[in-house]
Amino acid sequence: MRVALVMSTLVLTAHGSRDPRSGANAGAVAARVRLLRPGLDVRLAFLDLNEPGLVDVLAGLPDSRRAVVTPLLLASAYHARRDIPKQIAEAGAHGVGQADVLGEDDRLVSVLRERLSRVGVSALDDDLGVMVVAIGSSDAAANARTAQVASRLAAGTSWVGAATGFSTRPDASVARAAHQLRRRGARRLVIAPWFLAPGLFTDKLAAYARDNGIPMAAPLGAHPLVAETVLDRYDQALAQNAAA
């Protein structure tokens, strides 16, 4: 889907982090979006901890410019449902839309599969259990949607299975996911991080992987399919606004 509006702006909005790798990754995604859609005004913004902030970016847009805040977020949880609308209102921005989060898009699952292949994982590994690890949310529905990634990732493979672990949920921890897979017969494990960028949580996850002798793939990063998914969400929002 591709919809063009005059003077439209894609405001790529990331959470923000004290870890410079996170901000650098967001900038790299924005650069890829510009390459995929030459002429589109793409501006990078952060909800917290980094500059420029979303409120400042929106306040700096010309009055005549239509903008779509496009979250660089995987889950439709607190930041997408509360923080972004709140900051749009604080900016006093009119005519600003909000796109959906990236979600459990099949393109992103394919990126995760590619990341696993780089640490030696094959679809034919019939003794393998794959742990898909995400940050987790207090929103049970958001966690349930994230858990779909594991089944999509394992579809068509010979793996023992794939299970989901959440870095911030003791009731669904990484160790619990490992235990589940071993009980199902997995003799080898690998970690597939459902994160966009490296940071504190992935560093802790990498330490767990090292301590337990478990290979770990890289985060999704600034893969071209991440940028393609961003543009798809932006186009969907434009189409919905045009139809309203």
Side-chain angles (χ1 to χ4, degrees), residues 119-203:
V119 293
V121 170
S122 165
L124 302 178
D125 291 333
D126 58 6
D127 62 347
L128 183 70
V130 177
M131 293 184 288
V132 177
V133 183
I135 189 169
S137 169
S138 59
D139 186 326
N143 290 337
R145 288 190 293 271
T146 299
Q148 296 174 10
V149 172
S151 59
R152 293 186 187 185
L153 186 67
T157 72
S158 301
W159 302 340
V160 172
T164 307
F166 294 105
S167 296
T168 59
R169 304 295 301 174
D171 57 332
S173 66
V174 180
R176 183 173 178 178
H179 179 67
Q180 289 174 344
L181 289 167
R182 288 191 175 108
R183 286 189 62 185
R184 291 165 62 179
R187 295 193 297 274
R188 294 186 298 127
L189 297 174
V190 67
I191 293 175
W194 187 244
F195 288 83
L196 285 165
L200 176 62
F201 285 108
T202 57
D203 285 350

Side-chain angles (χ1 to χ4, degrees), residues 6 8 22 26 32 37-38 43-45 55 61 63 68 75 77 92 115 133 141 155 160 184 197-198 207 219 224:
V6 176
S8 61
S22 179
R32 283 201 179 275
R37 190 70 61 83
R43 305 195 184 195
L44 182 61
V55 172
L61 294 176
D63 291 339
V68 175
R115 297 294 188 238
V133 183
V160 172
R184 291 165 62 179

Side-chain angles (χ1 to χ4, degrees), residues 50-241:
N50 296 113
E51 297 294 335
L54 177 58
V55 172
D56 291 336
V57 170
L58 293 176
L61 294 176
D63 291 339
S64 61
R65 191 174 294 275
R66 295 286 301 272
V68 175
V69 174
T70 308
L72 187 59
L73 301 170
L74 291 172
S76 181
Y78 184 87
H79 300 302
R81 296 203 313 252
R82 300 289 181 86
D83 279 351
I84 290 177
K86 178 183 177 181
Q87 293 194 26
I88 290 174
E90 286 177 1
H94 301 289
V96 172
Q98 180 178 338
D100 287 339
V101 297
L102 304 183
E104 304 74 43
D105 194 282
D106 286 341
R107 287 165 291 198
L108 303 185
V109 175
S110 73
V111 175
L112 194 57
R113 193 172 292 118
E114 179 182 314
R115 297 294 188 238
L116 285 170
S117 71
R118 293 186 180 182
V119 293
V121 170
S122 165
L124 302 178
D125 291 333
D126 58 6
D127 62 347
L128 183 70
V130 177
M131 293 184 288
V132 177
V133 183
I135 189 169
S137 169
S138 59
D139 186 326
N143 290 337
R145 288 190 293 271
T146 299
Q148 296 174 10
V149 172
S151 59
R152 293 186 187 185
L153 186 67
T157 72
S158 301
W159 302 340
V160 172
T164 307
F166 294 105
S167 296
T168 59
R169 304 295 301 174
D171 57 332
S173 66
V174 180
R176 183 173 178 178
H179 179 67
Q180 289 174 344
L181 289 167
R182 288 191 175 108
R183 286 189 62 185
R184 291 165 62 179
R187 295 193 297 274
R188 294 186 298 127
L189 297 174
V190 67
I191 293 175
W194 187 244
F195 288 83
L196 285 165
L200 176 62
F201 285 108
T202 57
D203 285 350
K204 288 183 177 180
L205 187 57
Y208 171 88
R210 286 193 304 271
D211 291 346
N212 290 275
I214 301 172
M216 174 173 152
L220 302 178
H223 194 283
L225 289 178
V226 174
E228 185 178 301
T229 307
V230 166
L231 278 171
D232 192 51
R233 298 295 179 269
Y234 166 77
D235 287 340
Q236 289 170 357
L238 285 182
Q240 290 167 4
N241 290 345

